Structure formats: structure tokens, C-alpha cells
Amino acid sequence: IYTTSTLTRPVLDQAIEVAEEEAFMEIMFVETDPPRLLATARDGDEWKLYSADRDGSAAVELVAIDAPFISGIYYVEGDGRLLIHHSDEDGDTFYITSVDEEDGYELLEEWAYLEPLTMNEDLLIFTGREDSDDDPVLCTISLEEDAEEVELDDDIDEEQRVTNAFFTSNGRDIIYSVRDVIFLDLDNLEVRQVPVDGEESPDRVFDEVELLDVQWDTPRLRRISSFME
């Protein structure tokens, strides 16, 4: 991959080489802090993620992992980290890395199912099943290596799903929607609120409605790449 700031010829005389691989899957710009160019490559089951400044300089290989399936790459605008969700025969894994430095680590690994919902500078909110026969749970985890998840809501039925989640304006609680995704029963539709420290049980805020958005400024987890292989 090369980048260049000119459209005149000869282009490659003024281009900067970002990375060299046999095949690249996707190239994208992201509004992280700092903004970066990302490029992905695959060699068999090995998946790589490269990052560079927008002019192609300061290139670094962020990730090289055995991951047959990449569910998505996520970020919060203005934040300097990426969340990578990948899967293999052992289960789902969340991997955290800086956007411009090779300092990544596995935040959670080998869960039967994981789904990220939202993230701020300190915490990731997600739903998941650690084992395949577990009921789904809503959890939070600190964005630190070797952190342990904190269970927020285990009252989620097999046919239900948490469809969204937002930090409250003070960042102390999560407000989120729970809906029936199997039978589409509107009576089984709720908006709940729970403290992020897990010290209190969730409160039911509304029945038979789904939260679409909030007015206050809140971090929003953006999905920037998905590879359906």
C-alpha cells in the first residue's frame, strides 16, 4: 500500500509505502485521536492490522493474530484505542490496541458469544455468554489488561437481546433497551437503567417501548469494519 499527496505523475516517486503484503482486504480512515489510516491483510488464518498517519508515515503493524473470523473493528470518535472482535473454534475474543502503537492485549477471550454495545475512556459495556449453555448477561469491564468483568443484568431471557446502550450524562449509569428478537413480542420490550459499578439491580424505566437515542453527549461505539468470510 502506498499513499501520496499528489495526483501528478510520477505518483510513486512521491508516495510513501505503508505496508507490503500479498493481499490487502480493506483500507479505511478513522477519526480516532490521532486520526489514522487502517489497512487489513490476511494470510490463511493469520489476520493483520496496520496503522499509519494520513500521509502514510509512522506506519506500524498493530495486530497479527490467528483469527478465522473478524466480526468487527470498533472505536469511539476522539479516543485513541480500537476494539477488535474476533472468533475461532474456541469462541469470541475482544482485543484492545492503541490506534498508533503496538501495545494490544486480549480483554476477554474464548467466550461462547460476545457483543459490544458502547465504550468510554474507562469501560466497555457488552453482552455475552461465557459458556454456550449460559443465559445472556449485560456486563462492564475496565479497559485494562487482566481486568475482570462485572455483571450488571442477568435477567435477560434466551429470546431477548440488549439492542443498544448509552452512558447517562454523568457516566455513572447505563440506560439500555431489551427486546424480544425471537417472537417479536412488543409486550416483552423494556428500557432499563443500571449503575456501571454493578452494586445495584437494574431498574425498569419504560415498558413496551425501545430507546432509540439520547439527547445528551455520550460516547458512541462505531463499527468501522466487518469481514463476513
Side-chain angles (χ1 to χ4, degrees), residues 58-175:
V60 61
E61 181 183 286
L62 295 179
V63 181
I65 52 177
D66 287 334
F69 186 84
I70 302 297
S71 298
I73 307 172
Y74 301 83
Y75 77 106
V76 173
E77 190 168 316
D79 191 90
R81 288 165 298 190
L82 300 172
L83 168 67
I84 299 164
H85 180 193
H86 68 87
S87 307
D88 59 22
E89 67 274 8
D90 295 320
D92 283 12
T93 294
F94 283 157
Y95 188 94
I96 295 286
T97 181
S98 296
V99 73
D100 58 354
E101 186 177 355
E102 187 182 1
D103 60 357
Y105 56 91
E106 291 179 339
L107 187 66
L108 290 166
E109 58 180 317
E110 297 181 2
W111 279 50
Y113 165 77
L114 287 170
E115 182 175 3
L117 293 168
T118 191
M119 187 171 82
N120 65 13
E121 61 184 13
D122 300 312
L123 300 170
L124 171 68
I125 308 298
F126 68 96
T127 55
R129 296 184 181 93
E130 190 164 8
D131 296 309
S132 58
D133 55 353
D134 290 344
D135 289 331
V137 291
L138 176 71
C139 298
T140 183
I141 187 169
S142 296
L143 296 175
E144 299 174 357
E145 196 167 2
D146 299 322
E148 295 288 335
E149 72 277 2
V150 176
E151 200 170 279
L152 301 180
D153 188 349
D154 63 357
D155 188 20
I156 302 172
D157 296 334
E158 179 66 29
E159 70 272 10
Q160 291 180 313
R161 179 184 173 195
V162 178
T163 56
N164 55 36
F166 303 91
F167 288 97
T168 53
S169 57
N170 60 16
R172 297 174 185 168
D173 288 23
I174 292 294
I175 187 167

Side-chain angles (χ1 to χ4, degrees), residues 153 155-157 159-164 176-192 203-212:
D153 188 349
D155 188 20
I156 302 172
D157 296 334
E159 70 272 10
Q160 291 180 313
R161 179 184 173 195
V162 178
T163 56
N164 55 36
Y176 55 100
S177 300
V178 181
R179 71 173 303 160
D180 183 334
V181 295
I182 303 298
F183 303 106
L184 304 179
D185 181 4
L186 295 181
D187 292 334
N188 198 5
L189 186 62
E190 303 171 16
V191 175
R192 302 178 187 175
D203 289 328
R204 184 179 298 174
V205 181
F206 299 109
D207 287 321
E208 300 181 22
V209 297
E210 184 173 15
L211 186 66
L212 297 180

